């Protein structure tokens, strides 16, 4: 800790600094409040005389070493009343409450009575006695419960109660009073409870506390006296609006207390206002507030006192703000020329942007938490519990919002997910089916809520605290916090307003890494465009087969034994895929679209329950027993590492041939009446160069055939999804067969850790809480392990093929910390769920701005 130099060299108490424009005061040594007060003094605002005690001084006070208290009192002069307030480095770390009216004793009370009246003087004295008793002597607050009179009578009663309980007269010496107040506040900061509380808010172990000792401006007395707060922007919306409260004959923040008869600030039909009661003071205050906004380059809340009509500024704190207010405030400061746009960009936490894109539980609302899981897809929604996709669809048909509750979801549930307002699953993690689909759709989703008991077939759910919830009961899913709530708390709507659009526009002028979206459907693509994605970085083609009319031909194709049967089934699928791709290309209007060929194990498309097996048997005209046997025979012990991805392409090449043909035909169709399309085709789960070599030859052949049939040419780009550790290590020999590599960090994380992405939710919270993992690695890229593989892959690929396009398309692509890493290793773009595109755009802009700032130094 770096103590400030004394105000005057050689002074007796060198670490007590009078706040003047040039005093050596800094936030890291004296705290934010002391520094802000100095800024206000520099602006020549009417700030009462204040001294600042450094962190070191306060620390020494806690261990019994007091500064020269009399010298400190001399700075204020005889008879001054003082208050002491905390000044921590970050205001969010808290600190002990302020103590006002220090210096009140029998003599000063009598003197003050002449100036402001006996009742008012007694009122100030009474307040100090109570505060001193409770916070310094640590007497029971109940002691003063019976006291109703705020003046002389009340004071006498309080004195009697104090003396009886403390077994001593109330201290009369201001130096003793001040010393005891400082000591109790310094000790309170060093106590275990306070330390744990602030550490929970991110404070370091050894965070220091400064204190400011300020001369009181009396809000009680003759003429118009009182106190209040004022700010020029609304904390919820950020709109320009004078907000705050003022209470005559009050001190501190009493005007803000519930039920206080405080005045409005501006004229208001609901009641009297400061503007009418004390127009001069009101005008002066607004002027001071404007000065603070312009010169401190921030929306500030002023804490003020009016003493006989004169305004005093006691403090200024940054206006508390919701995420949407933060954006509007930053944009308006920039539009008013107070800060440059790049500073507005830097002031917004990219994580907080997510709050703007979705409905949220209103801040401050009471939450009846019945369960917790992985916060897999942000936003909040309320609805009646349903336990199957069919019920979700029925509920939607009735116009009733519902929450789809499943053990885990599969392709069969996707229609139900579309119909539901949110999804809750017992199993799963950040990259499990429900999570990936939910994020893509912007559907709030909590997965892996394993501490709740799911009785899906019996249609009830047991909350963590033992409450039973049945089908039809109303719950709320908060996919931003991972909480499941009983009932329907108040919500705030998404806020994609003009301020948001302006900020995003500025961000794009700074960004130096591309941002694309993972989009599988026309709806996803439209959302991606709406959020200004620069193309599609991953279209998971298997997701195009979730609709009922698609699932059946897909299943027939999977069931086909003979090559002719498979060919026939594929011929039915081809036009569907062609139409899908044509639509995507049209929506994206010439922007790049990267299509990944089929990835999952085929049996994932097969039914698992009796009804599904019967439906399939009907469609195939086979006995249920045959179908069941076949489904069982296709099962794998470890499907995630089985016949999936490019392995399907090698063993059943007709599937990829069909997809390649559909892509090329769609390319020609879409290019005919729009911008020329250059499709990107991506092979998943590659681990060996021969896989790429074989499939490249087949896809080239399909391209040649389509060109010949249609008599028209086109270009296309072939790429590989690097999502096995071996593909990273052998990237140099894979790269020459490709035009691009895209890192699939979901599978890569799974394989690097040997950690199932579908089961990790069950134990992830234990792993994180015990510090095994700093964070869920499916959420926050593991820079040390998975990151090293990415770096190796990128470096080896670029060495072999310098012009190769590199990107990431795993879920980490939308995470600000992971984007920083991807940018640092030279990736060209990141691709993430459409709703995370704005987060990625902002985070990427901030990285570029910070780099520019560093190089400008
Ligand atoms: C990945 O593995 O990172 C990826 C994007 O693909 P998927 O999540 O579909 O396996
Ligand atoms: Mg993958």
């Amino acid at each position: 800790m770096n103590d400030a130099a004394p105000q005057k060299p050689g002074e007796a108490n060198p670490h007590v600094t009078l706040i003047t424009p040039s005093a050596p005061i800094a936030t890291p040594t004296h705290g934010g409040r002391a520094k802000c007060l100095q800024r206000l003094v520099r602006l020549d605002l009417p700030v009462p005389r204040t001294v600042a005690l450094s962190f070191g001084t306060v620390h020494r006070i806690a261990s019994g070493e007091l500064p020269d208290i009399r010298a400190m009192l001399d700075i204020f002069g005889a008879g001054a009343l003082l208050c002491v307030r905390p000044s921590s480095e970050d205001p969010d770390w808290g600190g002990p409450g302020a103590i006002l009216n220090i210096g009140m004793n029998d003599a000063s009370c009598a003197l003050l009575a002449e100036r402001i009246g006996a009742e008012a003087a007694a009122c100030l004295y009474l307040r100090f006695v109570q505060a001193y008793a409770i916070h310094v002597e640590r007497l029971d607050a109940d002691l003063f419960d019976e006291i109703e009179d705020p003046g002389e009578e009340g004071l006498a009663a309080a004195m009697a109660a104090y003396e009886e309980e403390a077994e001593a007269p109330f201290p009369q010496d201001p130096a003793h009073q001040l010393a005891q107040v400082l000591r109790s506040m310094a000790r309170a900061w060093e106590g275990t409870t306070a330390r744990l509380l602030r550490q929970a808010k991110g404070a370091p172990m050894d965070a220091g506390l400064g204190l400011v000792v300020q001369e009181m401006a009396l809000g009680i007395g003759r003429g118009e006296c009182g106190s209040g707060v004022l700010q020029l922007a609304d904390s919820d919306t950020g709109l320009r609006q004078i907000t705050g409260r003022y209470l005559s004959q009050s001190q501190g923040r009493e005007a803000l207390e519930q039920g206080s008869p405080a005045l409005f600030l501006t004229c208001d039909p609901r009641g009297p206002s400061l503007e009418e009661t004390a127009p001069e003071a009101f005008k002066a205050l607004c002027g001071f507030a404007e000065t603070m906004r312009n010169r401190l380059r921030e929306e500030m809340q002023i804490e003020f006192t009016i003493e006989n009509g004169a305004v005093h500024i006691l403090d200024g704190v940054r206006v508390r703000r919701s995420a949407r207010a933060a954006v509007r405030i930053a944009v308006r400061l920039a539009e008013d020329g107070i800060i440059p746009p790049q500073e507005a960009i830097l002031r917004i936490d990219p994580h907080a942007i997510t709050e703007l894109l979705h409905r949220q539980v209103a801040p401050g609302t009471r939450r009846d938490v019945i369960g917790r899981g992985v916060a897999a897809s942000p936003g909040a929604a309320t609805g009646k519990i349903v336990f199957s996709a069919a019920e979700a669809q029925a509920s939607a048909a009735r116009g009733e919002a519902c929450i789809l509750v499943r053990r885990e979801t599969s392709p069969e549930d996707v229609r139900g997910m579309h119909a539901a307002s949110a999804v809750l699953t017992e199993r799963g993690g950040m990259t499990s089916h429900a999570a990936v689909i939910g994020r893509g759709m912007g559907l709030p989703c909590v997965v892996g809520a394993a501490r709740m008991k799911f009785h899906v077939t019996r249609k009830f759910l047991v909350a963590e605290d033992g409450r039973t919830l049945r089908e039809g009961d109303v719950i709320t899913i908060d996919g931003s916090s991972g909480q499941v709530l009983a009932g329907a708390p108040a919500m705030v709507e998404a806020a994609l307003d003009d301020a948001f659009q302006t900020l995003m526009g500025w961000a794009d002028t700074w960004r130096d890494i591309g941002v694309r979206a993972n989009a599988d459907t026309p709806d996803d693509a439209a959302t991606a465009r709406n959020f200004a994605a620069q193309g599609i970085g991953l279209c998971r083609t298997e997701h195009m087969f979730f609709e009922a009319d698609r699932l059946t031909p897909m299943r027939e194709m999977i069931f086909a034994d003979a090559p002719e049967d498979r060919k026939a089934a594929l011929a039915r699928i081809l036009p569907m895929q062609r139409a899908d791709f044509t639509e995507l290309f049209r929506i994206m209007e010439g922007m790049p679209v990267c299509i990944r060929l089929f990835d999952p194990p085929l049996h994932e498309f097969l039914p698992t329950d009796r009804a599904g097996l019967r439906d399939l048997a009907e469609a195939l005209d086979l006995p249920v027993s045959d179908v069941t046997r076949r489904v069982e025979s296709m099962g794998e012990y470890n499907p995630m590492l089985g016949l999936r991805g490019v392995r399907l392409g090698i063993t059943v090449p007709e599937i990829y041939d069909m997809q390649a043909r559909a892509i090329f035909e769609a390319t020609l169709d879409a290019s005919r009446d729009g911008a020329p399309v250059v499709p990107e085709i991506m092979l998943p789960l590659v681990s060996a160069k021969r896989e790429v070599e074989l499939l490249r030859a087949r896809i080239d052949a399909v391209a040649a055939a389509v060109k010949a049939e249609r008599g028209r040419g086109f270009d296309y780009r072939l790429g590989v999804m690097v999502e096995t550790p071996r593909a990273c290590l052998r990237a140099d020999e894979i790269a020459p067969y490709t035009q691009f590599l895209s890192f699939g960090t979901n599978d890569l994380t799974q394989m690097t850790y040997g950690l199932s992405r579908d089961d990790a939710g069950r134990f992830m919270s234990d792993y994180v809480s015990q510090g095994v993992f700093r964070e869920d690695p499916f959420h926050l890229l593991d820079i040390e392990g998975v990151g090293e593989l990415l770096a190796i892959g990128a470096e080896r690929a670029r060495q072999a093929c310098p012009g190769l396009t590199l990107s990431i398309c795993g879920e980490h692509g939308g995470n600000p910390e992971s984007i920083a890493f991807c940018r640092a290793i030279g990736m060209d773009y990141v691709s993430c769920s459409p709703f995370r595109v704005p987060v990625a755009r902002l985070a990427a802009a901030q990285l570029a701005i910070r780099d520019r700032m560093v190089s400008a130094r």
Side-chain angles (χ1 to χ4, degrees):
M1 258 176 251
N2 212 352
D3 270 354
Q7 171 207 352
K8 288 185 207 147
E11 227 178 36
N13 50 353
H15 302 302
V16 173
T17 312
L18 176 64
I19 299 186
T20 62
S22 58
I25 293 197
T27 305
T29 52
H30 292 82
R33 175 169 273 140
K35 187 65 209 173
C36 181
L37 283 167
Q38 182 178 48
R39 294 197 173 114
L40 302 187
V41 168
R42 284 184 184 151
L43 297 179
D44 226 6
L45 298 182
V47 178
R49 178 171 283 250
T50 311
V51 297
L53 276 60
S54 67
F55 295 171
T57 305
V58 175
H59 181 62
R60 280 190 290 279
I61 293 173
S63 38
E65 194 187 320
L66 285 171
D68 186 339
I69 298 289
R70 296 220 178 262
M72 202 187 311
L73 287 176
D74 285 348
I75 297 177
F76 295 99
L81 296 189
L82 305 176
C83 76
V84 182
R85 277 186 266 133
S87 177
S88 53
E89 192 168 345
D90 180 330
D92 285 344
W93 299 345
I99 296 192
L100 314 183
N101 306 318
I102 302 159
M104 277 310 283
N105 56 20
D106 297 349
S108 55
C109 187
L111 262 176
L112 209 55
E114 288 169 21
R115 214 176 94 206
I116 64 171
E119 281 296 299
C123 175
L124 294 174
Y125 197 3
L126 167 62
R127 284 157 178 255
F128 179 50
V129 172
Q130 289 183 331
Y132 191 91
I134 296 165
H135 299 294
V136 179
E137 286 298 332
R138 307 263 164 208
L139 302 186
D140 202 333
D142 299 352
L143 204 61
F144 305 109
D145 273 359
E146 306 297 307
I147 297 172
E148 276 171 9
D149 177 76
E152 289 180 286
E153 201 181 295
L155 174 63
M159 273 304 186
Y162 177 93
E163 287 179 7
E164 189 183 327
E165 195 65 21
E167 295 178 356
F170 187 74
Q172 295 292 309
D173 177 5
H176 176 82
Q177 293 174 351
L178 180 58
Q180 292 306 311
V181 167
L182 295 177
R183 191 191 53 88
S184 76
M185 289 174 81
R187 291 210 173 149
W189 178 258
E190 306 224 335
T192 310
T193 318
R195 197 174 58 245
L196 290 177
L197 267 176
R198 64 179 175 266
Q199 273 174 248
K201 292 179 189 158
M205 280 271 284
D206 61 347
L209 176 72
L211 290 172
V212 294
V213 183
Q214 190 175 61
E215 183 169 1
M216 292 289 303
L218 301 180
I220 292 176
R222 295 200 173 116
E224 183 52 48
C225 288
S227 62
V229 296
L230 175 144
Q231 62 192 51
L232 299 175
D234 181 89
S235 287
D236 291 329
T237 63
L239 288 168
R240 201 165 164 78
Q241 182 183 326
I242 297 175
T243 15
R245 284 286 185 276
Y246 170 76
L247 182 62
S248 285
Q249 301 299 327
S250 77
Q251 297 187 301
R253 296 177 79 86
E254 283 167 19
L256 298 179
E257 279 168 17
Q258 280 275 321
S260 91
L263 306 191
F264 296 101
L265 295 182
T266 51
C267 297
D268 195 305
R270 290 170 296 174
S273 69
L274 180 65
E275 189 172 12
E276 293 148 303
T277 310
E280 289 302 313
F282 175 75
K283 202 165 149 228
L285 261 173
C286 292
F288 296 147
E290 281 294 350
T291 305
M292 281 166 73
R293 178 173 188 263
N294 289 330
R295 303 289 297 282
L296 301 188
R297 307 163 75 246
E298 180 53 289
E299 288 290 357
M300 301 294 288
Q301 184 187 65
I302 305 182
E303 193 174 314
F304 65 92
T305 291
I306 299 180
E307 189 177 9
N308 199 10
V311 175
H312 300 270
I313 307 289
L314 310 187
D315 202 2
V317 290
R318 212 177 146 263
V319 163
R320 292 215 166 270
R321 61 201 71 183
S322 66
R324 75 182 60 192
V327 171
R328 189 171 286 284
I329 286 172
V331 166
R332 246 200 24 233
L333 286 169
E335 283 175 341
D336 290 350
I338 296 171
I339 58 173
Q342 61 269 35
E343 194 170 334
I345 294 168
L346 288 178
R347 286 189 184 190
I348 304 301
D349 176 0
H351 297 281
I353 283 285
T354 316
E355 276 180 43
L356 304 183
L357 307 179
H358 305 273
R359 291 180 91 209
Q360 300 288 340
V361 175
T365 303
R366 201 185 76 80
R367 288 167 173 254
D368 184 2
V369 180
I370 53 172
R372 284 173 193 78
V374 176
S377 176
T382 299
K384 292 183 176 175
I385 296 175
V386 295
F387 288 96
S388 73
E391 283 153 12
Q393 286 176 284
S395 179
R398 291 194 300 275
E400 279 176 15
C402 68
I403 308 292
L404 177 61
V405 177
R406 304 286 292 154
R407 281 194 189 289
E408 62 193 332
T409 61
S410 67
E412 283 171 327
D413 292 309
V414 172
R415 277 168 297 138
M417 292 177 74
H418 275 291
S421 304
V423 176
L424 168 66
T425 68
E426 180 183 21
R427 303 197 190 122
M430 264 321 265
T431 62
S432 61
H433 182 269
V436 172
I437 302 290
R439 274 197 298 278
M441 287 165 42
L443 187 70
C445 185
V446 170
V447 301
R451 293 204 175 105
M452 298 178 85
K453 293 202 177 61
F454 287 62
H455 299 274
V456 173
T457 38
R458 290 161 63 204
K459 299 191 176 172
F460 71 97
L461 190 66
V462 181
E464 284 182 14
D465 62 6
R467 272 183 278 175
T468 299
L469 294 126
R470 301 191 182 278
E471 189 176 42
D473 286 348
V474 172
I475 60 170
T476 295
I477 297 300
D478 183 350
S480 304
S481 68
Q483 289 178 341
V484 184
L485 313 173
M491 299 272 187
V492 286
E493 294 302 326
L496 300 179
D497 52 23
D498 51 336
F500 171 80
Q501 305 295 2
T502 304
L503 186 84
M504 284 297 151
W506 290 339
D508 287 344
T509 62
W510 282 89
R511 194 156 50 78
D512 56 9
I513 178 169
V515 177
R516 293 198 199 174
N518 295 351
D520 317 320
T521 63
D523 276 355
D524 291 348
T527 311
R529 293 237 35 196
N530 199 19
F531 289 141
Q534 294 164 290
I536 294 178
L538 173 63
C539 169
R540 294 170 161 109
T541 47
E542 62 277 4
H543 288 189
M544 295 169 150
F545 286 83
F546 289 155
E547 298 299 326
D549 59 334
R550 300 290 183 88
L551 259 181
T552 310
M554 183 69 165
R555 285 172 172 167
E556 284 174 25
M557 190 272 287
I558 295 168
F559 260 78
D561 262 339
E564 312 80 62
D565 292 345
R566 172 154 290 143
K567 212 168 155 200
L570 285 168
R572 280 183 65 200
I573 296 175
L574 173 73
M576 297 175 186
Q577 286 267 270
R578 186 173 52 225
D580 290 338
F581 299 139
T582 309
E583 200 175 348
L584 279 189
F585 292 148
R586 289 201 170 123
I587 292 171
M588 297 312 289
E589 293 182 301
M591 286 185 182
V593 176
C594 177
I595 297 165
R596 179 181 77 184
L597 304 184
F598 276 131
D599 180 22
L602 288 182
H603 78 267
E604 270 197 12
F605 286 94
L606 298 180
T608 46
D609 58 8
R610 277 205 67 78
L613 289 166
R614 201 187 47 230
D615 286 353
L616 184 56
E618 261 169 21
L620 296 170
D621 198 17
L622 289 172
V624 173
S625 57
D626 274 16
V627 173
T628 311
R629 215 170 307 117
R630 184 82 203 271
V631 168
E632 279 168 6
S633 75
M634 290 185 77
E636 293 174 306
Y637 285 107
N638 200 339
M640 276 310 221
L641 302 178
L643 182 57
R644 60 171 281 217
V646 71
R647 297 164 200 168
L648 270 176
I650 298 286
T651 49
V652 195
E654 305 93 305
I655 300 179
Y656 279 11
D657 287 351
M658 177 277 291
Q659 288 198 295
R661 173 171 280 277
I663 293 169
F664 296 138
E665 290 179 356
T667 298
L668 290 173
D669 289 350
S671 301
R672 199 170 28 222
D673 41 28
V677 175
V678 180
E680 297 179 351
I681 299 180
M682 183 155 73
L683 304 175
L685 217 77
V686 164
S687 58
K689 72 167 181 178
R690 180 77 179 139
E691 290 168 326
V692 191
E693 194 179 20
L694 287 172
L695 288 170
R696 157 135 240 155
R698 285 194 80 104
I699 292 168
D700 281 345
V702 175
V706 173
K707 283 176 191 170
E709 286 159 24
R710 297 273 191 116
R712 285 169 57 209
F714 54 83
D715 288 328
Y716 78 98
R717 286 156 58 82
L718 186 84
V720 157
M721 200 161 169
V722 180
E723 48 185 344
T724 64
R726 193 176 190 282
C728 292
L729 299 171
R730 310 302 292 175
D732 49 346
E733 56 182 29
I734 291 172
Y737 294 94
T738 70
Q739 274 89 41
F740 64 92
L741 297 183
S742 187
F743 290 89
T745 45
N746 301 335
D747 273 306
L748 190 58
T749 300
Q750 167 166 265
M751 293 190 214
T752 305
Y753 277 90
L755 187 67
S756 161
R757 52 196 270 197
D758 295 310
D759 301 305
R762 293 167 86 172
F763 51 85
M764 190 57 73
S765 61
D766 290 327
Y767 258 59
V768 172
S769 68
Q770 294 182 48
V772 184
F773 298 158
R774 188 164 74 84
E775 248 283 10
D776 178 348
F778 289 110
H779 176 59
L780 191 64
L781 184 72
D782 160 46
I783 304 280
E784 290 150 13
V786 180
E788 184 166 4
L789 281 170
L790 292 184
I792 290 171
E795 193 198 319
R796 292 184 183 172
R798 277 261 163 83
Q799 247 164 26
C801 305
L804 200 71
T805 303
L806 295 181
S807 63
I808 177 177
C809 61
E811 290 306 314
H812 305 93
N815 178 282
E817 291 81 359
S818 314
I819 293 169
F821 178 78
C822 294
R823 182 174 170 269
I825 62 168
M827 288 198 188
D828 298 286
Y829 71 87
V830 298
S831 188
C832 53
S833 310
F835 282 90
R836 294 172 102 182
V837 165
V839 179
R841 286 162 64 201
L842 183 64
Q846 292 185 346
L847 294 164
I849 294 169
R850 290 207 179 94
D851 270 5
R852 190 78 65 86
M853 283 161 62
V854 171
S855 54
R857 270 189 210 138

